Amino acid sequence: MSDHTDLLVIGAGPGGYACAFRAADLGMTVTLVDARDRLGGVCLNEGCIPSKALLHAAEVIREAAHMADWGISFGAPKIDLDALRAKKDDIVGQLTGGLGGLAKRRKVTTIKGTAQFTGANSVDIDGKELRFDKAVIAVGSAPVQLPGWPDDARIWDSTAALELREVPKTLAIVGGGIIGLEMATIYSALGADVTVIELADQIAAGADPEAVAILRSALETQGVTIQTGTQVQVVKATKAAITLTCTGVYDGQIKAGAVIQSVGRRANGDKVGADVAGIAVSDRGVIAADDAGRTEQPHIFAIGDVTGNPMLAHRATHQGHITAEVAAGHRAALETVLIPSVAYTNPELAWVGLTQAQAKAEGRKVKTTSFPWAASGRNLASGGGDGLTKLVYDPDSGRILGGTIIGRNAGELLGEITLAIEMGATLEDIGLTIHAHPTLSETVAFACERALGTLTDL
């Protein structure tokens, strides 16, 4: 490899490869380093993409069973775990292989290795020195490991869970955030008896409680047991099972054939020798960066999970584009707080912007409006269950400030609300925009019409 590059990007996840490709498009000589055999980071290799492939399989299983109510029966599914695993891996391979091709076409030099800073303008990559003019730290995050737990192959993190090693008869998931709930959706559809244990009083922390109540009810109908306000105190592994002793709202023991730890992720900022380059790292592995991605060293940037919450791939990608442009001499910055969140459960839960609870905590005067999916023709005609589209708006101007959707394809529908908030749209702007009928997107317009007093569908 060359001993010098204009821009060094450490980490080839959604933020890293997006940054590298954008910088190359802007004329920079770029080197992209990652320890994995394939580009794509956690998201493509062991996170977003494999989980969505398995969630699709879970959705098909549930849809097939649901069609019995419509007079169409398929019988019990026969699940070939090896074939399902191979299909998931094939999808991952297609996407990561495509990234390799894009890197070659852009003349981005890719190196498989582990980079460690040796100074403010140099790194060591497995024994070889590389000097750079500018660098981007995009090394992501790793699952949090709970202390004091036994070392047992039946205790998985999210990465191990997506390897689909087996479908245990009983599965306990510690943590009721997005990842934990998605794992519950997958494994319950595949036949496991799933229990979710969440320390907080609500699963999907931060989301609208009314929407979360709908999600919880749906998951429980699917056979998932949810224990909120509950803490795991003791974990014991025997040949027969993993036993979790819990206290709180649920006080007792839960025995499971396997356990998934899903209590969040920790930034990897302390794994690249950032301090040698003059960059401070917090005790949670986070590297501070401004809205242009710059760290304490103006020529070294940080993007994605390594900069802290929200740890989401689309945030990292957007930061990657911005940082590449700044590094190439352009003016750019992350000037939005609108980072959409989606739980790809069944039904999906998606939200963006200000929630009613946040507004109350901040002392802001807001109003809400909503439309129940029980009155959506498209939802009912497609066999959809309970759902809701809910908007938070300014009562004086009518400007949209936030939105939550619970229902089928909620993540796809959220884009309209996100754009509306970015554009400063009001209830009238959306309510007077003609939406195709029958569609789920109509529920956004209907929620606006309800607040305006013009709704005729309720």
Side-chain angles (χ1 to χ4, degrees):
M1 68 183 182
S2 171
D3 60 0
H4 180 271
T5 186
D6 292 346
L7 181 68
L8 168 66
V9 181
I10 307 173
Y17 76 72
C19 179
F21 294 175
R22 180 70 178 126
D25 290 346
L26 292 171
M28 301 186 78
T29 300
V30 182
T31 300
L32 179 61
V33 181
D34 195 278
R36 288 182 175 82
D37 293 325
R38 303 182 294 192
L39 303 183
V42 169
C43 180
L44 268 69
N45 287 283
E46 55 200 44
C48 314
I49 301 305
S51 67
K52 301 314 166 282
L54 296 180
L55 283 162
H56 173 66
E59 181 182 11
V60 171
I61 291 171
R62 288 198 169 93
E63 283 295 297
H66 176 66
M67 291 307 293
D69 293 338
W70 294 53
I72 303 173
S73 298
F74 294 94
K78 295 181 180 178
I79 299 172
D80 184 336
L81 272 188
D82 291 336
L84 180 56
R85 190 185 307 110
K87 182 63 178 177
K88 168 190 64 95
D89 293 342
D90 179 59
I91 293 168
V92 170
Q94 289 181 50
L95 289 170
T96 54
L99 288 180
L102 291 175
K104 289 180 181 178
R105 291 175 187 174
R106 285 180 161 88
K107 296 182 173 57
V108 172
T109 300
T110 59
I111 300 174
K112 179 185 180 298
T114 302
Q116 290 285 316
F117 284 99
T118 55
N121 287 90
S122 62
V123 293
D124 175 89
I125 304 174
D126 297 337
K128 295 183 179 180
E129 184 182 68
L130 175 67
R131 298 192 62 80
F132 57 83
D133 294 333
K134 297 175 182 177
V136 179
I137 303 171
V139 291
S141 61
V144 170
Q145 300 295 319
L146 292 168
W149 283 47
D151 184 12
D152 193 287
R154 295 166 295 176
I155 298 175
W156 307 334
D157 59 16
S158 57
T159 301
L162 289 172
E163 291 174 1
L164 206 64
R165 300 171 181 177
E166 62 171 317
V167 178
K169 290 183 179 180
T170 53
L171 173 67
I173 300 175
V174 181
I178 288 178
I179 295 174
L181 296 176
E182 289 181 352
M183 293 303 104
T185 301
I186 292 168
Y187 277 93
S188 62
L190 293 175
D193 183 359
V194 178
T195 299
V196 175
I197 305 164
E198 169 57 44
L199 178 62
D201 294 332
Q202 174 185 299
I203 57 173
D208 180 82
E210 187 179 6
V212 170
I214 295 173
L215 174 60
R216 177 168 183 162
S217 177
L219 290 173
E220 289 175 337
T221 299
Q222 295 162 21
V224 177
T225 300
I226 298 176
Q227 303 290 0
T228 51
T230 300
Q231 184 174 21
V232 176
Q233 294 284 9
V234 180
V235 182
K236 184 178 180 181
T238 63
K239 185 176 181 180
I242 306 291
T243 302
L244 307 177
T245 301
C246 304
T247 59
V249 174
Y250 175 80
D251 193 359
Q253 291 187 335
I254 296 172
K255 294 186 177 182
V259 179
I260 299 176
Q261 288 188 358
S262 181
V263 293
R265 300 182 66 86
R266 185 184 185 279
N268 289 329
D270 53 0
K271 296 183 178 180
V272 292
D275 56 325
V276 179
I279 298 170
V281 182
S282 79
D283 58 0
R284 296 186 61 83
V286 173
I287 294 175
D290 64 16
D291 57 5
R294 290 189 181 92
T295 65
E296 295 168 275
Q297 296 282 12
H299 68 293
I300 300 179
F301 303 80
I303 60 174
D305 287 8
V306 78
T307 62
N309 290 321
M311 294 184 177
L312 297 168
H314 41 278
R315 171 178 175 261
T317 297
H318 198 75
Q319 287 178 308
H321 290 166
I322 288 168
T323 296
E325 291 163 8
V326 173
H330 297 266
R331 293 185 63 190
L334 182 65
E335 295 180 335
T336 181
V337 295
L338 295 180
I339 312 296
S341 295
V342 184
Y344 295 90
T345 45
N346 186 2
E348 289 184 4
L349 172 63
W351 69 97
V352 68
L354 190 69
T355 65
Q356 192 174 2
Q358 285 176 312
K360 183 178 180 180
E362 296 172 9
R364 299 181 61 174
K365 185 176 72 170
V366 299
K367 284 189 175 182
T368 64
T369 181
S370 61
F371 186 82
W373 283 31
S376 165
R378 175 61 172 168
N379 178 54
L380 295 177
S382 302
D386 200 5
L388 184 75
T389 296
K390 185 173 184 178
L391 302 176
V392 178
Y393 66 95
D394 182 281
D396 298 322
S397 65
R399 184 170 176 172
I400 308 297
L401 302 175
T404 298
I405 305 177
I406 175 76
R408 180 176 297 181
N409 294 326
E412 308 294 339
L413 300 175
L414 193 66
E416 178 179 4
I417 298 175
T418 308
L419 180 60
I421 302 171
E422 287 282 14
M423 298 292 290
T426 65
L427 296 168
E428 285 190 336
D429 290 326
I430 298 178
L432 294 177
T433 298
I434 298 176
H435 291 62
H437 174 76
T439 61
L440 296 175
S441 67
E442 281 180 304
T443 64
V444 181
F446 288 158
C448 292
E449 290 181 0
R450 188 177 187 181
L452 294 167
T454 60
L455 181 63
T456 56
D457 281 69
L458 281 181

